[in-house]
Amino acid sequence: MSLSEKIKQLRSEFLNELTLASTSKDLENLKVKFLGKKGPIPALMIELKNCSADDRPLLGKQINDLKEELISHCNLTESRLKDAEMLARFSSEAIDPTLPGRRQYLGRSHPLMQMMDRAIDILAGMGFSVRLGPEVDTDYYNFEGLNFAPDHPSRDMQDTFYLNTEWLLRTHTSNVQVRVMEEFAPPIRIIAPGRTFRNENISARSHVFFHQIEGLYIDRNVSFADLFATMDEFWSKLLGEKVQTRFRPSYFPFVEPGLEVDVRCTACRGKGCRLCKHSGWLEVCGAGMVHPNVLKKGNIDPEQYSGYAWGMGIERLTILQYDIPDIRMFTQNDIRFLSQFP
Ligand code: PHE
């Protein structure tokens, strides 16, 4: 076969194989095979040296033209294949912008913590600072230091979770009172938010585990009027409008006199409704003037100092504010319930 024929044959062989290249990988192999250093074109060049000097320029040009042609075919095909492959990849990876998005739920604080934070903010603004006490405490701080007689019914096993004869789960945040008095000299102006525990049957209205905020103010000449003013101010700020407060005598061993504080029902404004059990009033906290015996336990002279204290249940407040039917909803972790508190 003459060189000229070989050139023609190589060309048609190449064009033939080119039609079979369907991926850029195929094309790569084709390039190596036809245009590589050990491929047919350098071989033709070697053969050219054996041709007559007359034929050589023309044949040489034919070989070079062929080489150019193969290169340009390869380049064209390569860009066509790459474009097609890119399009295929894009359509396989495509996103559908019409699909509904996945909602991201943001965490938020628990309704009880929201209520607690609001109360703390208001009281901090009134000059009270936060002190925390232990949830596991001794009989002394929970009862004895607070003037509970040894046979007081609250110490009964029915109400208190005793861990042993000395240690218990605090039944109220009042356990912070004597601790703070031992630690600081008056004036004392603190609030103590926290968890409290009582050994009661769990029902829609009571739970073994709940939250309180305690308030304590001790200074010279602190009087009943100070307690009233603080209650008025605090409850009005917390409930969002000027609310009327009412004080009823009550008994707690650590205050004398002791009071129960009521506010005008926020739902019916005193007309009487289901929430206030038709009384027009909501009971919101226990309060009173700190008992002289308690001041003495805290090394404070009751002749020189006086004070008031109050304690409120956060679950109860939250239930009243939102008319929640069952206290157990707070601990069931149901997102449908919790997400209703923005
Ligand atoms: N510790 C009382 C309770 O849990 C509330 C209270 C606190 C009453 C301070 C008077 C003064 O019921």
Side-chain angles (χ1 to χ4, degrees):
M1 207 194 288
S2 73
L3 190 55
S4 170
E5 281 167 345
K6 281 185 182 168
I7 293 169
K8 277 195 194 111
Q9 199 194 6
L10 184 62
R11 184 170 179 275
S12 69
E13 214 177 290
F14 170 84
L15 291 175
N16 214 4
E17 290 199 26
L18 185 67
T19 57
L20 300 175
S22 60
T23 66
S24 52
K25 181 86 189 120
D26 292 346
L27 188 74
E28 200 53 42
N29 292 336
L30 192 72
K31 266 190 188 162
V32 171
K33 180 170 169 193
F34 284 89
L35 291 163
K37 282 205 182 89
K38 291 178 183 151
I41 298 217
L44 291 178
M45 284 300 193
I46 291 167
E47 234 176 278
L48 186 65
K49 288 178 192 151
N50 303 328
C51 294
S52 71
D54 288 347
D55 295 339
R56 232 182 270 158
L58 187 65
L59 288 169
K61 186 173 178 317
Q62 282 178 359
I63 296 172
N64 278 328
D65 286 351
L66 176 64
K67 189 177 172 190
E68 292 304 314
E69 192 190 347
L70 297 198
I71 289 172
S72 99
H73 271 303
C74 283
N75 287 346
L76 269 177
T77 310
E78 184 175 26
S79 71
R80 184 175 52 80
L81 288 176
K82 285 217 161 124
D83 282 354
E85 282 165 11
M86 197 149 72
L87 273 177
R89 210 186 84 210
F90 284 171
S91 66
S92 78
E93 288 174 359
I95 54 160
D96 179 354
T98 63
L99 284 176
R102 274 186 218 130
R103 231 181 223 260
Q104 295 282 331
Y105 286 102
L106 275 185
R108 63 187 88 191
S109 68
H110 192 278
L112 292 175
M113 292 304 117
Q114 292 185 25
M115 179 60 81
M116 194 105 126
D117 287 345
R118 272 177 51 209
I120 292 172
D121 276 355
I122 293 167
L123 291 162
M126 292 167 70
F128 289 88
S129 48
V130 173
R131 300 293 302 176
L132 300 179
E135 291 169 9
V136 176
D137 208 350
T138 57
D139 180 275
Y140 178 77
Y141 287 108
N142 198 78
F143 291 130
E144 196 187 326
L146 290 168
N147 199 36
F148 278 80
D151 57 353
H152 191 279
S154 299
R155 300 169 86 132
D156 200 303
M157 298 293 280
Q158 304 268 306
D159 289 323
T160 308
F161 286 114
Y162 280 96
L163 304 179
N164 55 37
T165 49
E166 193 192 350
W167 291 89
L168 47 77
L169 299 184
R170 68 171 171 192
T171 59
H172 50 189
T173 43
S174 303
N175 70 328
V176 181
Q177 288 195 21
V178 173
R179 271 216 167 68
V180 172
M181 292 181 215
E182 285 173 347
E183 204 178 332
F184 302 102
I188 290 170
R189 207 189 286 146
I190 63 103
I191 50 173
R195 304 204 280 188
T196 50
F197 307 86
R198 278 182 211 177
N199 193 356
E200 286 179 31
N201 289 327
I202 295 177
S203 70
R205 305 191 57 83
S206 69
H207 209 288
V208 290
F209 154 66
F210 54 102
H211 298 75
Q212 289 189 334
I213 298 180
E214 189 85 2
L216 178 68
Y217 180 34
I218 301 171
D219 203 349
R220 292 181 201 276
N221 304 318
V222 176
S223 75
F224 234 45
D226 297 307
L227 171 59
F228 288 170
T230 304
M231 289 293 100
D232 265 358
E233 173 84 359
F234 170 68
W235 289 110
S236 293
K237 280 196 165 142
L238 187 75
L239 302 174
E241 56 182 297
K242 183 86 196 118
V243 286
Q244 216 181 324
T245 46
R246 178 174 87 167
F247 301 83
R248 284 178 291 112
S250 184
Y251 175 75
F252 302 96
F254 40 97
V255 283
E256 180 56 38
L259 303 168
E260 209 88 61
V261 182
D262 297 342
V263 295
R264 267 283 183 216
C265 179
T266 45
C268 65
R269 300 223 155 76
K271 285 195 208 82
C273 67
R274 192 172 53 84
L275 194 66
C276 60
K277 299 204 199 84
H278 301 282
S279 70
W281 295 92
L282 301 170
E283 185 189 313
V284 285
C285 73
M289 302 305 291
V290 179
H291 197 291
N293 289 348
V294 177
L295 291 172
K296 279 188 220 153
K297 298 263 191 199
N299 303 320
I300 292 173
D301 181 358
E303 299 296 325
Q304 301 215 35
Y305 291 100
S306 54
Y308 63 77
W310 82 99
M312 53 205 169
I314 303 304
E315 275 75 358
R316 191 176 150 68
L317 278 180
T318 314
I319 283 171
L320 290 176
Q321 167 116 33
Y322 297 107
D323 197 8
I324 294 166
D326 193 321
I327 195 172
R328 289 169 290 198
M329 296 174 104
F330 290 126
T331 43
Q332 278 160 347
N333 271 343
D334 187 333
I335 197 80
R336 291 167 302 178
F337 170 70
L338 295 174
S339 61
Q340 291 177 51
F341 303 88

